[in-house]
Structure formats: structure tokens, C-alpha cells
């Protein structure tokens, strides 16, 4: 009898408690992985790996539940005009603003040799340009599996750990930190 009353009381409290508002995930423009190649490999293999790595990057970010991806298609011409984005002096922020994103995700893979590859990435606040997260991962081995492993490690263990803030106020507090 005592357990029954406790359970009923708990159920009543839960029913009366206000439902916490779920914050909407941050809107992110995720630019394609950029390849910085020292001319060490066949271009067709590289192009296929860059496309797959870019797709994997987006899938991992979506699966995290921390962001929603903004479609970059309306700015495709501007993106193409400014490639590589790493050299465009913040034109990527202008593109992200035009797309209505809260944050932008940029990544690059530098092929140092046929064995040594370095993946790097950053997440920036679109309004301020401040880097919220940045990380790098070096891998050994130029195979499809190693590229996938590099992207996975970069996202899960560098850019999204700890999780990103999930509301505008927390993001603003993070941006305003000295």
C-alpha cells in the first residue's frame, strides 16, 4: 500500500511539472572537406575520398543531435567562386550569414605524404567569427578506412567533445568568454 501511494504521488508530481522546453539544435553550414595535397596521390581517388569524407562529416554531425544542417545550395556559386575557403579571408562567414546559420563547420585534410595525413577542423560562431572549437587529428595510412576513421575521430573527439551549447544564451555566453 505504501509503494502504491508513493508511485501515485510521484506520477501526480510529474504530471503537474512543467515540461522543459527543448532547445532547437544549432543551425550549421557544413562546408565540404578541403584537400591540401602535396601531389602525392591519384586525383580520382582523392576526389572520391573527399566527397565521401564530406558526406561522413555531415552524417556524424547530424547523428550527434547537436546541430541541424543548413542547405548551402543557395550560395553554391559564391562558395565555388571563393574556393579554397581557407584562403578567402572570412568569406565563409559571409556565406554562412547569408544562409541563416548560427555556426559554420570547416574541415581540411592535408596529405603530407602517401602515409601521413592530417585532418583539421573548426566550428565558428557566424555572428562574431569566434572559433568555438578547433581540433586536429593525424592518421597513418591513405585508405578509405583511415579517412573515415580520421573524420570520425575529428568530429566525435575533437569538435563535439564536450557537446556544443544547445541554446542561443549558452552559445552567446561561450562566445563572450575571454
Amino acid at each position: 500500500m505504501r509503494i502504491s501511494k508513493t508511485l501515485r504521488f510521484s506520477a501526480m508530481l510529474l504530471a503537474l511539472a512543467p515540461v522543459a522546453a527543448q532547445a532547437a539544435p544549432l543551425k550549421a553550414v557544413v562546408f565540404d572537406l578541403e584537400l591540401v595535397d602535396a601531389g602525392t596521390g591519384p586525383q580520382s581517388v582523392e576526389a572520391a575520398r573527399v566527397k565521401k569524407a564530406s558526406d561522413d562529416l555531415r552524417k556524424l554531425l547530424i547523428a550527434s543531435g547537436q546541430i541541424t544542417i543548413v542547405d548551402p545550395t543557395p550560395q553554391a556559386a559564391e562558395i565555388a567562386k571563393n574556393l579554397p575557403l581557407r584562403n578567402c579571408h572570412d568569406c565563409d562567414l559571409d556565406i554562412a550569414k547569408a544562409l541563416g546559420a548560427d555556426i559554420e563547420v570547416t574541415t581540411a585534410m592535408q596529405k603530407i605524404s602517401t602515409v601521413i595525413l592530417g585532418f583539421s577542423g573548426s566550428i565558428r560562431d557566424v555572428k562574431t567569427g569566434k572559433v568555438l572549437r578547433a581540433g586536429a587529428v593525424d592518421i597513418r595510412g591513405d585508405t578509405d578506412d583511415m579517412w573515415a576513421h580520421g573524420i570520425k575521430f575529428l568530429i566525435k573527439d575533437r569538435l563535439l567533445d564536450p557537446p556544443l551549447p544547445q541554446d542561443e544564451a549558452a552559445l552567446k555566453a561561450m562566445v563572450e568568454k575571454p
Side-chain angles (χ1 to χ4, degrees):
M1 181 72 137
R2 181 170 256 237
I3 294 173
S4 176
K5 284 182 182 178
T6 303
L7 286 174
R8 278 188 286 184
F9 183 70
S10 296
M12 184 177 72
L13 284 177
L14 285 173
L16 294 174
V19 176
Q22 281 284 67
L26 296 169
K27 293 182 292 181
V29 62
V30 181
F31 295 106
D32 285 340
L33 176 82
E34 291 189 351
L35 176 64
V36 182
D37 190 352
T40 56
Q43 292 302 321
S44 61
V45 171
E46 308 264 308
R49 286 184 179 155
V50 166
K51 179 174 179 357
K52 181 172 181 339
S54 296
D55 292 344
D56 289 349
L57 169 71
R58 288 180 180 89
K59 288 175 189 172
L60 288 165
L61 290 167
I62 291 168
S64 76
Q66 296 182 47
I67 68 166
T68 58
I69 294 184
V70 175
D71 179 13
T73 305
Q75 290 289 311
E78 195 66 21
I79 292 168
K81 179 177 93 176
N82 287 291
L83 291 175
L85 294 177
R86 65 182 180 279
N87 296 334
C88 76
H89 307 291
D90 291 339
C91 70
D92 49 326
L93 288 173
D94 294 333
I95 293 167
K97 284 177 191 171
L99 292 167
D102 301 311
I103 58 175
E104 69 164 18
V105 180
T106 56
T107 54
M109 193 286 287
Q110 183 170 8
K111 190 169 183 182
I112 299 158
S113 72
T114 56
V115 178
I116 304 170
L117 310 173
F119 290 88
S120 61
S122 68
I123 298 174
R124 293 199 304 169
D125 177 71
V126 170
K127 290 178 186 163
T128 66
K130 181 177 180 180
V131 175
L132 303 174
R133 299 282 167 73
V137 174
D138 289 335
I139 61 171
R140 303 295 183 261
D142 190 10
T143 67
D144 293 346
D145 288 340
M146 291 307 294
W147 277 58
H149 179 71
I151 286 292
K152 182 178 178 182
F153 193 81
L154 177 67
I155 298 304
K156 289 189 171 192
D157 295 336
R158 296 290 188 260
L159 299 184
L160 295 182
D161 185 25
L164 290 168
Q166 287 299 295
D167 59 59
E168 193 71 32
L171 181 62
K172 184 177 180 186
M174 185 178 188
V175 169
E176 292 176 353
K177 278 185 183 176

Short mmCIF file of all heavy atoms in Angstrom, two decimals, residues 76-135:
data_model
loop_
_atom_site.label_atom_id
_atom_site.label_comp_id
_atom_site.label_asym_id
_atom_site.label_seq_id
_atom_site.Cartn_x
_atom_site.Cartn_y
_atom_site.Cartn_z
N ALA A 76 25.80 28.27 -53.58
CA ALA A 76 26.75 27.41 -54.29
C ALA A 76 27.69 28.20 -55.19
O ALA A 76 28.89 27.92 -55.24
CB ALA A 76 26.00 26.34 -55.09
N ALA A 77 27.17 29.18 -55.91
CA ALA A 77 28.02 29.97 -56.81
C ALA A 77 29.05 30.76 -56.02
O ALA A 77 30.23 30.84 -56.41
CB ALA A 77 27.16 30.90 -57.66
N GLU A 78 28.64 31.32 -54.90
CA GLU A 78 29.56 32.10 -54.06
C GLU A 78 30.63 31.19 -53.45
O GLU A 78 31.80 31.56 -53.37
CB GLU A 78 28.76 32.81 -52.95
CG GLU A 78 29.51 33.90 -52.24
CD GLU A 78 29.86 35.09 -53.12
OE1 GLU A 78 29.23 35.32 -54.16
OE2 GLU A 78 30.81 35.80 -52.75
N ILE A 79 30.23 30.00 -53.04
CA ILE A 79 31.19 29.04 -52.49
C ILE A 79 32.20 28.67 -53.57
O ILE A 79 33.41 28.74 -53.33
CB ILE A 79 30.46 27.78 -51.96
CG1 ILE A 79 29.62 28.13 -50.73
CG2 ILE A 79 31.48 26.68 -51.62
CD1 ILE A 79 28.66 27.04 -50.29
N ALA A 80 31.72 28.30 -54.76
CA ALA A 80 32.61 27.90 -55.85
C ALA A 80 33.57 29.03 -56.23
O ALA A 80 34.75 28.78 -56.51
CB ALA A 80 31.79 27.46 -57.06
N LYS A 81 33.08 30.25 -56.21
CA LYS A 81 33.90 31.41 -56.58
C LYS A 81 35.04 31.63 -55.59
O LYS A 81 36.10 32.14 -55.96
CB LYS A 81 33.00 32.65 -56.65
CG LYS A 81 33.72 33.94 -57.00
CD LYS A 81 32.75 35.08 -57.11
CE LYS A 81 32.67 35.78 -55.77
NZ LYS A 81 31.83 36.96 -55.77
N ASN A 82 34.86 31.24 -54.34
CA ASN A 82 35.83 31.55 -53.30
C ASN A 82 36.69 30.36 -52.85
O ASN A 82 37.40 30.47 -51.86
CB ASN A 82 35.11 32.14 -52.08
CG ASN A 82 34.66 33.54 -52.35
OD1 ASN A 82 35.45 34.46 -52.47
ND2 ASN A 82 33.35 33.71 -52.48
N LEU A 83 36.62 29.23 -53.57
CA LEU A 83 37.42 28.08 -53.19
C LEU A 83 38.91 28.33 -53.43
O LEU A 83 39.25 28.99 -54.40
CB LEU A 83 36.97 26.84 -53.95
CG LEU A 83 35.59 26.31 -53.58
CD1 LEU A 83 35.21 25.14 -54.49
CD2 LEU A 83 35.54 25.87 -52.13
N PRO A 84 39.77 27.85 -52.61
CA PRO A 84 39.51 27.18 -51.34
C PRO A 84 39.12 28.20 -50.27
O PRO A 84 39.70 29.28 -50.17
CB PRO A 84 40.85 26.50 -51.00
CG PRO A 84 41.88 27.36 -51.65
CD PRO A 84 41.23 27.92 -52.89
N LEU A 85 38.12 27.85 -49.49
CA LEU A 85 37.59 28.78 -48.48
C LEU A 85 38.62 29.14 -47.42
O LEU A 85 38.55 30.21 -46.83
CB LEU A 85 36.35 28.19 -47.82
CG LEU A 85 35.14 28.01 -48.74
CD1 LEU A 85 34.00 27.34 -47.98
CD2 LEU A 85 34.70 29.33 -49.34
N ARG A 86 39.61 28.27 -47.19
CA ARG A 86 40.62 28.55 -46.17
C ARG A 86 41.47 29.78 -46.54
O ARG A 86 42.14 30.33 -45.69
CB ARG A 86 41.50 27.33 -45.93
CG ARG A 86 42.34 26.93 -47.09
CD ARG A 86 43.16 25.67 -46.81
NE ARG A 86 43.95 25.31 -47.95
CZ ARG A 86 43.51 24.64 -49.01
NH1 ARG A 86 42.26 24.24 -49.05
NH2 ARG A 86 44.30 24.36 -50.02
N ASN A 87 41.39 30.21 -47.81
CA ASN A 87 42.18 31.36 -48.26
C ASN A 87 41.34 32.59 -48.59
O ASN A 87 41.85 33.54 -49.16
CB ASN A 87 42.99 30.98 -49.51
CG ASN A 87 44.01 29.92 -49.23
OD1 ASN A 87 44.48 29.77 -48.10
ND2 ASN A 87 44.37 29.16 -50.24
N CYS A 88 40.06 32.58 -48.25
CA CYS A 88 39.18 33.65 -48.73
C CYS A 88 38.97 34.78 -47.71
O CYS A 88 38.13 35.64 -47.94
CB CYS A 88 37.84 33.08 -49.18
SG CYS A 88 36.74 32.62 -47.83
N HIS A 89 39.70 34.76 -46.63
CA HIS A 89 39.63 35.85 -45.64
C HIS A 89 38.22 36.09 -45.11
O HIS A 89 37.65 37.16 -45.24
CB HIS A 89 40.21 37.15 -46.22
CG HIS A 89 41.59 36.97 -46.77
ND1 HIS A 89 42.68 36.72 -45.98
CD2 HIS A 89 42.04 36.95 -48.05
CE1 HIS A 89 43.75 36.58 -46.73
NE2 HIS A 89 43.39 36.70 -48.00
N ASP A 90 37.65 35.05 -44.54
CA ASP A 90 36.35 35.09 -43.87
C ASP A 90 35.14 35.23 -44.79
O ASP A 90 34.04 35.51 -44.33
CB ASP A 90 36.31 36.17 -42.79
CG ASP A 90 37.19 35.84 -41.60
OD1 ASP A 90 37.52 34.65 -41.42
OD2 ASP A 90 37.54 36.76 -40.85
N CYS A 91 35.31 34.99 -46.08
CA CYS A 91 34.14 35.00 -46.96
C CYS A 91 33.18 33.88 -46.55
O CYS A 91 31.96 33.99 -46.77
CB CYS A 91 34.53 34.84 -48.42
SG CYS A 91 35.16 33.19 -48.84
N ASP A 92 33.71 32.82 -45.93
CA ASP A 92 32.86 31.72 -45.47
C ASP A 92 31.86 32.20 -44.43
O ASP A 92 30.73 31.73 -44.39
CB ASP A 92 33.71 30.56 -44.94
CG ASP A 92 34.78 30.98 -43.95
OD1 ASP A 92 35.34 32.09 -44.10
OD2 ASP A 92 35.06 30.22 -43.03
N LEU A 93 32.26 33.15 -43.60
CA LEU A 93 31.33 33.71 -42.61
C LEU A 93 30.20 34.47 -43.29
O LEU A 93 29.04 34.38 -42.88
CB LEU A 93 32.05 34.62 -41.62
CG LEU A 93 32.94 33.92 -40.61
CD1 LEU A 93 33.74 34.94 -39.80
CD2 LEU A 93 32.14 33.01 -39.69
N ASP A 94 30.54 35.22 -44.34
CA ASP A 94 29.51 35.94 -45.09
C ASP A 94 28.53 34.97 -45.73
O ASP A 94 27.31 35.20 -45.73
CB ASP A 94 30.15 36.82 -46.17
CG ASP A 94 31.00 37.95 -45.58
OD1 ASP A 94 30.70 38.37 -44.44
OD2 ASP A 94 31.94 38.38 -46.26
N ILE A 95 29.04 33.87 -46.26
CA ILE A 95 28.19 32.85 -46.87
C ILE A 95 27.29 32.23 -45.80
O ILE A 95 26.09 32.07 -46.01
CB ILE A 95 29.06 31.78 -47.57
CG1 ILE A 95 29.78 32.39 -48.78
CG2 ILE A 95 28.21 30.57 -47.97
CD1 ILE A 95 30.89 31.53 -49.35
N ALA A 96 27.87 31.89 -44.66
CA ALA A 96 27.09 31.29 -43.57
C ALA A 96 26.01 32.24 -43.07
O ALA A 96 24.88 31.82 -42.80
CB ALA A 96 28.02 30.88 -42.42
N LYS A 97 26.33 33.53 -42.97
CA LYS A 97 25.33 34.53 -42.56
C LYS A 97 24.19 34.59 -43.57
O LYS A 97 23.01 34.63 -43.20
CB LYS A 97 25.97 35.92 -42.43
CG LYS A 97 26.79 36.10 -41.19
CD LYS A 97 27.45 37.47 -41.18
CE LYS A 97 28.49 37.53 -40.06
NZ LYS A 97 29.31 38.74 -40.14
N ALA A 98 24.53 34.60 -44.85
CA ALA A 98 23.52 34.66 -45.90
C ALA A 98 22.60 33.43 -45.86
O ALA A 98 21.43 33.52 -46.24
CB ALA A 98 24.18 34.78 -47.28
N LEU A 99 23.13 32.31 -45.37
CA LEU A 99 22.33 31.09 -45.28
C LEU A 99 21.53 30.99 -43.98
O LEU A 99 20.76 30.06 -43.78
CB LEU A 99 23.25 29.86 -45.41
CG LEU A 99 23.87 29.66 -46.79
CD1 LEU A 99 24.99 28.63 -46.74
CD2 LEU A 99 22.80 29.26 -47.80
N GLY A 100 21.72 31.95 -43.07
CA GLY A 100 20.98 31.95 -41.81
C GLY A 100 21.51 30.98 -40.77
O GLY A 100 20.78 30.58 -39.87
N ALA A 101 22.78 30.61 -40.86
CA ALA A 101 23.37 29.66 -39.93
C ALA A 101 23.81 30.34 -38.63
O ALA A 101 24.17 31.52 -38.63
CB ALA A 101 24.57 28.97 -40.57
N ASP A 102 23.78 29.57 -37.54
CA ASP A 102 24.32 30.03 -36.26
C ASP A 102 25.82 29.81 -36.19
O ASP A 102 26.56 30.62 -35.64
CB ASP A 102 23.68 29.26 -35.08
CG ASP A 102 22.18 29.41 -35.03
OD1 ASP A 102 21.69 30.56 -35.11
OD2 ASP A 102 21.49 28.38 -34.89
N ILE A 103 26.25 28.66 -36.74
CA ILE A 103 27.66 28.28 -36.71
C ILE A 103 28.06 27.75 -38.08
O ILE A 103 27.21 27.41 -38.90
CB ILE A 103 27.96 27.20 -35.64
CG1 ILE A 103 27.12 25.94 -35.88
CG2 ILE A 103 27.75 27.75 -34.23
CD1 ILE A 103 27.44 24.78 -34.94
N GLU A 104 29.37 27.71 -38.30
CA GLU A 104 29.89 27.09 -39.52
C GLU A 104 30.92 26.05 -39.13
O GLU A 104 31.61 26.19 -38.11
CB GLU A 104 30.51 28.12 -40.45
CG GLU A 104 31.80 28.71 -39.93
CD GLU A 104 32.61 29.43 -40.99
OE1 GLU A 104 32.09 29.77 -42.06
OE2 GLU A 104 33.80 29.64 -40.72
N VAL A 105 31.00 25.01 -39.95
CA VAL A 105 31.98 23.94 -39.73
C VAL A 105 32.85 23.86 -40.97
O VAL A 105 32.33 23.68 -42.09
CB VAL A 105 31.28 22.58 -39.47
CG1 VAL A 105 32.33 21.49 -39.25
CG2 VAL A 105 30.33 22.67 -38.29
N THR A 106 34.15 24.02 -40.78
CA THR A 106 35.10 23.89 -41.87
C THR A 106 36.10 22.81 -41.52
O THR A 106 36.49 22.67 -40.35
CB THR A 106 35.83 25.21 -42.17
OG1 THR A 106 36.48 25.66 -40.98
CG2 THR A 106 34.89 26.28 -42.67
N THR A 107 36.50 22.05 -42.52
CA THR A 107 37.49 20.99 -42.30
C THR A 107 38.45 20.94 -43.48
O THR A 107 38.11 21.37 -44.59
CB THR A 107 36.81 19.61 -42.17
OG1 THR A 107 35.97 19.38 -43.29
CG2 THR A 107 36.00 19.49 -40.89
N ALA A 108 39.62 20.44 -43.20
CA ALA A 108 40.63 20.26 -44.25
C ALA A 108 41.41 19.00 -43.95
O ALA A 108 41.50 18.55 -42.81
CB ALA A 108 41.56 21.46 -44.31
N MET A 109 41.97 18.43 -45.01
CA MET A 109 42.84 17.28 -44.85
C MET A 109 44.11 17.60 -45.61
O MET A 109 44.07 17.91 -46.80
CB MET A 109 42.20 16.01 -45.40
CG MET A 109 42.92 14.73 -44.99
SD MET A 109 44.47 14.40 -45.81
CE MET A 109 43.92 13.92 -47.41
N GLN A 110 45.21 17.59 -44.88
CA GLN A 110 46.49 17.83 -45.51
C GLN A 110 47.21 16.50 -45.69
O GLN A 110 47.48 15.79 -44.72
CB GLN A 110 47.36 18.77 -44.68
CG GLN A 110 48.66 19.08 -45.36
CD GLN A 110 49.43 20.20 -44.68
OE1 GLN A 110 49.07 20.65 -43.62
NE2 GLN A 110 50.49 20.64 -45.32
N LYS A 111 47.47 16.20 -46.94
CA LYS A 111 48.18 14.97 -47.27
C LYS A 111 49.67 15.30 -47.26
O LYS A 111 50.19 15.90 -48.19
CB LYS A 111 47.72 14.43 -48.61
CG LYS A 111 48.24 13.05 -48.89
CD LYS A 111 47.55 12.45 -50.09
CE LYS A 111 48.02 11.04 -50.29
NZ LYS A 111 47.42 10.44 -51.47
N ILE A 112 50.32 14.90 -46.19
CA ILE A 112 51.73 15.22 -46.01
C ILE A 112 52.60 14.28 -46.84
O ILE A 112 53.59 14.69 -47.42
CB ILE A 112 52.09 15.17 -44.51
CG1 ILE A 112 51.23 16.22 -43.79
CG2 ILE A 112 53.56 15.40 -44.28
CD1 ILE A 112 51.04 16.00 -42.34
N SER A 113 52.22 13.02 -46.89
CA SER A 113 52.90 12.03 -47.71
C SER A 113 51.89 10.95 -48.06
O SER A 113 50.72 11.06 -47.72
CB SER A 113 54.09 11.42 -46.95
OG SER A 113 53.64 10.56 -45.92
N THR A 114 52.34 9.89 -48.71
CA THR A 114 51.42 8.81 -49.03
C THR A 114 51.03 8.02 -47.79
O THR A 114 50.15 7.16 -47.86
CB THR A 114 52.04 7.85 -50.06
OG1 THR A 114 53.28 7.38 -49.55
CG2 THR A 114 52.23 8.54 -51.39
N VAL A 115 51.65 8.30 -46.66
CA VAL A 115 51.36 7.58 -45.42
C VAL A 115 50.79 8.49 -44.34
O VAL A 115 49.97 8.08 -43.54
CB VAL A 115 52.64 6.89 -44.89
CG1 VAL A 115 52.38 6.17 -43.59
CG2 VAL A 115 53.19 5.92 -45.91
N ILE A 116 51.19 9.74 -44.30
CA ILE A 116 50.81 10.66 -43.21
C ILE A 116 49.76 11.66 -43.70
O ILE A 116 49.99 12.39 -44.66
CB ILE A 116 52.03 11.41 -42.66
CG1 ILE A 116 53.09 10.41 -42.20
CG2 ILE A 116 51.61 12.33 -41.52
CD1 ILE A 116 54.42 11.05 -41.88
N LEU A 117 48.60 11.65 -43.01
CA LEU A 117 47.51 12.56 -43.34
C LEU A 117 47.09 13.32 -42.09
O LEU A 117 47.05 12.74 -41.00
CB LEU A 117 46.30 11.78 -43.86
CG LEU A 117 46.55 10.75 -44.97
CD1 LEU A 117 45.29 9.96 -45.23
CD2 LEU A 117 47.02 11.44 -46.23
N GLY A 118 46.79 14.58 -42.24
CA GLY A 118 46.34 15.38 -41.10
C GLY A 118 44.98 16.00 -41.37
O GLY A 118 44.80 16.73 -42.35
N PHE A 119 44.01 15.67 -40.53
CA PHE A 119 42.68 16.26 -40.62
C PHE A 119 42.58 17.38 -39.60
O PHE A 119 43.02 17.23 -38.46
CB PHE A 119 41.60 15.22 -40.31
CG PHE A 119 41.45 14.17 -41.35
CD1 PHE A 119 42.22 13.02 -41.32
CD2 PHE A 119 40.53 14.32 -42.39
CE1 PHE A 119 42.08 12.04 -42.28
CE2 PHE A 119 40.39 13.34 -43.36
CZ PHE A 119 41.17 12.20 -43.31
N SER A 120 41.99 18.51 -39.99
CA SER A 120 41.77 19.60 -39.05
C SER A 120 40.38 20.17 -39.28
O SER A 120 39.81 20.02 -40.37
CB SER A 120 42.83 20.69 -39.22
OG SER A 120 42.77 21.23 -40.52
N GLY A 121 39.85 20.81 -38.28
CA GLY A 121 38.52 21.38 -38.42
C GLY A 121 38.27 22.44 -37.37
O GLY A 121 38.97 22.52 -36.36
N SER A 122 37.27 23.25 -37.65
CA SER A 122 36.87 24.26 -36.66
C SER A 122 35.38 24.51 -36.77
O SER A 122 34.76 24.29 -37.81
CB SER A 122 37.65 25.56 -36.86
OG SER A 122 37.27 26.19 -38.06
N ILE A 123 34.85 24.97 -35.66
CA ILE A 123 33.46 25.42 -35.58
C ILE A 123 33.52 26.87 -35.13
O ILE A 123 34.14 27.18 -34.11
CB ILE A 123 32.64 24.57 -34.58
CG1 ILE A 123 32.60 23.11 -35.03
CG2 ILE A 123 31.23 25.14 -34.42
CD1 ILE A 123 31.94 22.18 -34.04
N ARG A 124 32.89 27.74 -35.92
CA ARG A 124 32.92 29.17 -35.57
C ARG A 124 31.51 29.72 -35.44
O ARG A 124 30.60 29.32 -36.15
CB ARG A 124 33.66 29.97 -36.64
CG ARG A 124 35.12 29.67 -36.71
CD ARG A 124 35.95 30.72 -37.40
NE ARG A 124 35.53 31.03 -38.74
CZ ARG A 124 36.01 32.07 -39.44
NH1 ARG A 124 36.89 32.88 -38.90
NH2 ARG A 124 35.59 32.31 -40.66
N ASP A 125 31.39 30.67 -34.54
CA ASP A 125 30.15 31.42 -34.40
C ASP A 125 30.03 32.35 -35.60
O ASP A 125 30.97 33.10 -35.91
CB ASP A 125 30.18 32.22 -33.09
CG ASP A 125 28.94 33.07 -32.93
OD1 ASP A 125 27.87 32.50 -32.68
OD2 ASP A 125 29.04 34.31 -33.07
N VAL A 126 28.91 32.31 -36.29
CA VAL A 126 28.75 33.08 -37.51
C VAL A 126 28.66 34.59 -37.23
O VAL A 126 29.18 35.40 -37.98
CB VAL A 126 27.53 32.58 -38.31
CG1 VAL A 126 27.19 33.50 -39.46
CG2 VAL A 126 27.79 31.17 -38.82
N LYS A 127 28.01 34.96 -36.13
CA LYS A 127 27.83 36.39 -35.84
C LYS A 127 29.14 37.09 -35.50
O LYS A 127 29.37 38.22 -35.91
CB LYS A 127 26.84 36.58 -34.69
CG LYS A 127 25.43 36.23 -35.06
CD LYS A 127 24.48 36.38 -33.89
CE LYS A 127 23.10 35.89 -34.26
NZ LYS A 127 22.28 35.64 -33.09
N THR A 128 29.99 36.40 -34.73
CA THR A 128 31.22 37.04 -34.25
C THR A 128 32.49 36.57 -34.96
O THR A 128 33.51 37.24 -34.89
CB THR A 128 31.40 36.77 -32.75
OG1 THR A 128 31.63 35.37 -32.56
CG2 THR A 128 30.21 37.24 -31.94
N GLY A 129 32.42 35.42 -35.57
CA GLY A 129 33.61 34.84 -36.19
C GLY A 129 34.52 34.13 -35.20
O GLY A 129 35.55 33.57 -35.57
N LYS A 130 34.12 34.11 -33.93
CA LYS A 130 34.95 33.49 -32.91
C LYS A 130 34.97 31.97 -33.09
O LYS A 130 33.94 31.36 -33.32
CB LYS A 130 34.43 33.84 -31.52
CG LYS A 130 35.28 33.24 -30.40
CD LYS A 130 34.80 33.65 -29.02
CE LYS A 130 35.70 33.00 -27.97
NZ LYS A 130 35.30 33.36 -26.64
N VAL A 131 36.16 31.40 -32.94
CA VAL A 131 36.31 29.96 -33.00
C VAL A 131 35.77 29.36 -31.70
O VAL A 131 36.24 29.69 -30.62
CB VAL A 131 37.77 29.54 -33.22
CG1 VAL A 131 37.92 28.03 -33.15
CG2 VAL A 131 38.30 30.08 -34.54
N LEU A 132 34.76 28.50 -31.83
CA LEU A 132 34.18 27.84 -30.67
C LEU A 132 34.93 26.55 -30.36
O LEU A 132 35.09 26.18 -29.19
CB LEU A 132 32.70 27.53 -30.91
CG LEU A 132 31.82 28.72 -31.26
CD1 LEU A 132 30.42 28.26 -31.61
CD2 LEU A 132 31.80 29.72 -30.11
N ARG A 133 35.32 25.85 -31.39
CA ARG A 133 36.07 24.60 -31.26
C ARG A 133 37.03 24.49 -32.43
O ARG A 133 36.73 24.93 -33.54
CB ARG A 133 35.15 23.38 -31.32
CG ARG A 133 34.10 23.30 -30.26
CD ARG A 133 34.71 22.80 -28.93
NE ARG A 133 33.80 23.00 -27.84
CZ ARG A 133 32.70 22.31 -27.62
NH1 ARG A 133 32.37 21.33 -28.41
NH2 ARG A 133 31.94 22.58 -26.58
N ALA A 134 38.17 23.88 -32.17
CA ALA A 134 39.12 23.57 -33.24
C ALA A 134 39.87 22.31 -32.81
O ALA A 134 40.05 22.07 -31.62
CB ALA A 134 40.09 24.72 -33.46
N GLY A 135 40.25 21.54 -33.79
CA GLY A 135 40.99 20.32 -33.47
C GLY A 135 41.68 19.77 -34.69
O GLY A 135 41.41 20.17 -35.82
#
